[in-house]
Amino acid sequence: MLFKQQALLRQRLFVLGSLAIGSVLYLVARVGRLDRLQPLCPIESRLPSPEPEQIPLRTLSFKRGLLHEVHKGNATKEQIHLHNLVQQLPQAIIIGVRKGGTRALLEMLNLHPAVVKASQEIHFFDNDQNYARGIDWYREKMPLSFPHQITIEKSPAYFITDEVPERIFKMNSSIKLLIIVREPTTRAVSDYTQVLEGKERKNKTYHIFEKLAIDSNTCEVNTKYKAVRTSIYTKHLERWLKYFPVGQFHIVDGDRLITDPLPELQLVEHFLNLPSRISQYNLYFNATRGFYCLRFNIVFNKCLAGSKGRIHPEVDPAVVIKLQKFFHPFNQKFYQITGRTFNWP
């Protein structure tokens, strides 16, 4: 009985072993055949090759702390050399407009890990004395940055100064140019308010806005008044278009940047070919100040200077209407040139 059971067990093992060996031989033959065949549509060919990220944003985010120490003057020459920090000429410039929100735009763009900003207005291209110092002097005014970062500076006087477009063109004919605008009459009053505050600090008197904006002899808008002239955006833009195509300009809505900044910043990110990194987390509304402040991380927040958001003086409604009517045809032409329309009167 025991002998019969052992014989049956050996027979079953033999059968199972034969099946196993046969399966292995089949798979070997099958794999060899597959190796010899060219697949008609390999999976890799159907999937797009992942493009390498041009800007190592994760690395730049981690190194923001180092740049902060550098800009405070706490970094050593060895650290600067080790991390390959350089002073680059700007790849983008906020050229205007004065009292349009240039400082707010610059500070908000600095939230992006691939952007570094020149903290002060350099006034290189609009100041003959500075321009005579040469491009190396200008470069030395730029902040240290990593090679893949974009350096941005802002000097609002560039937009209205005759010589600037040609000078910037000679430096970099493909540079990206940012113009932030507000409703022209509001901008003119804001311009006046800043000058008025400066006069009052020095205990000096200053004319009321209406007297400056309206020519007392003709009762027409006084285009010799700088605050009015600056708000004729199309006149200045036409001079720039002699050197740069309209595609190298991006128009930012300064009024919207105050009330809802994120969509405007996302448009700028796209214009600068930057990955979208600025989010609602980075912007929070400060009810006391009445505008948005910046959140870089969990510990570092920043609000713009207290001088931002000055209270404007009351202006005669008739003068406001007169100015709005004056600016209207210029605004229409500005919309046509730039392709961006605003809800201005």
Side-chain angles (χ1 to χ4, degrees):
M1 184 68 179
L2 180 60
F3 177 79
K4 288 182 178 181
Q5 289 179 345
Q6 290 177 342
L8 183 60
L9 180 60
R10 283 195 297 271
Q11 185 179 8
R12 290 177 177 176
L13 289 174
F14 176 80
V15 172
L16 291 173
S18 299
L19 289 173
I21 292 172
S23 299
V24 170
L25 291 175
Y26 172 80
L27 289 173
V28 169
R30 178 66 175 168
V31 169
R33 183 172 175 234
L34 289 174
D35 286 341
R36 291 192 299 272
L37 295 175
Q38 291 296 327
L40 296 176
C41 186
I43 293 176
E44 291 78 12
S45 69
R46 286 182 278 136
L47 296 176
S49 301
E51 296 182 2
E53 192 174 36
Q54 294 181 347
I55 301 173
L57 292 175
R58 183 174 299 177
T59 301
L60 294 178
S61 296
F62 287 142
K63 291 183 176 180
R64 184 183 285 273
L66 173 63
L67 279 181
H68 183 65
E69 293 301 312
V70 168
H71 297 155
K72 289 196 305 181
N74 296 336
T76 64
K77 291 183 179 180
E78 290 75 14
Q79 286 178 310
I80 293 173
H81 178 73
L82 177 64
H83 292 280
N84 197 26
L85 296 174
V86 292
Q87 286 175 297
Q88 304 183 82
L89 291 173
Q91 295 94 324
I93 301 179
I94 302 172
I95 59 174
V97 176
R98 172 181 163 90
K99 305 314 298 173
T102 57
R103 173 56 62 182
L105 177 60
L106 182 67
E107 295 294 341
M108 289 179 178
L109 289 178
N110 193 49
L111 288 164
H112 199 291
V115 170
V116 292
K117 65 178 176 70
S119 296
Q120 303 298 321
E121 294 180 7
I122 311 300
H123 289 285
F124 177 64
F125 297 101
D126 66 305
N127 184 296
D128 291 339
Q129 184 177 356
N130 288 343
Y131 190 67
R133 290 170 173 167
I135 201 71
D136 289 334
W137 179 87
Y138 182 51
R139 187 194 302 271
E140 289 172 0
K141 295 296 180 181
M142 296 299 125
L144 285 163
S145 62
F146 297 105
H148 291 294
Q149 287 180 305
I150 291 176
T151 299
I152 300 179
E153 79 121 323
K154 75 102 174 174
S155 294
Y158 290 168
F159 186 60
I160 63 172
T161 304
D162 291 345
E163 299 83 4
V164 171
E166 182 179 5
R167 289 175 175 179
I168 291 182
F169 180 83
K170 288 179 178 179
M171 179 192 72
N172 182 357
S173 61
S174 61
I175 196 167
K176 293 181 180 291
L177 303 166
L178 295 163
I179 305 173
I180 181 167
V181 294
R182 297 189 67 191
E183 190 279 313
T185 302
T186 302
R187 196 221 63 82
V189 174
S190 180
D191 197 331
Y192 166 83
T193 303
Q194 178 169 305
V195 175
L196 175 64
E197 185 179 278
K199 297 285 186 181
E200 290 176 341
R201 282 200 304 266
K202 297 176 182 178
N203 294 319
K204 294 183 177 180
T205 58
Y206 196 49
H207 295 296
I208 61 172
F209 176 79
E210 292 85 342
K211 190 171 183 178
L212 294 169
I214 304 298
D215 188 318
S216 58
N217 295 321
T218 63
C219 293
E220 298 298 328
V221 173
N222 180 17
T223 55
K224 294 181 180 180
Y225 178 39
K226 188 176 180 180
V228 168
R229 197 167 62 250
T230 299
S231 285
I232 308 175
Y233 304 138
T234 185
K235 290 291 187 182
H236 305 292
L237 183 59
E238 285 173 343
R239 186 176 62 255
W240 284 85
L241 291 173
K242 294 177 182 177
Y243 295 91
F244 299 96
V246 70
Q248 281 178 233
F249 296 88
H250 178 73
I251 309 300
V252 180
D253 186 341
D255 294 309
R256 191 184 184 196
L257 193 73
I258 296 172
T259 59
D260 187 18
L262 185 58
E264 287 299 316
L265 295 173
Q266 291 173 333
L267 290 174
V268 177
E269 285 179 321
H270 179 74
F271 172 70
L272 296 177
N273 296 320
L274 293 173
S276 181
R277 288 295 183 273
I278 302 175
S279 68
Q280 198 62 56
Y281 169 82
N282 301 118
L283 304 159
Y284 67 95
F285 187 76
N286 186 311
T288 302
R289 290 178 175 266
F291 50 80
Y292 280 84
C293 294
L294 317 178
R295 181 185 291 114
F296 287 84
N297 52 48
I298 196 170
V299 295
F300 180 47
N301 299 342
K302 180 178 182 178
C303 288
L304 298 179
S307 60
K308 304 301 177 183
R310 296 181 182 92
I311 298 175
H312 293 179
E314 291 187 13
V315 178
D316 185 339
V319 171
V320 171
I321 293 172
K322 194 175 191 69
L323 284 168
Q324 290 174 344
K325 289 182 177 179
F326 169 80
F327 287 125
H328 181 75
F330 297 110
N331 295 341
Q332 296 301 310
K333 192 171 184 180
F334 185 70
Y335 303 158
Q336 183 180 6
I337 293 173
T338 63
R340 183 154 197 190
T341 304
F342 300 96
N343 294 321
W344 297 339

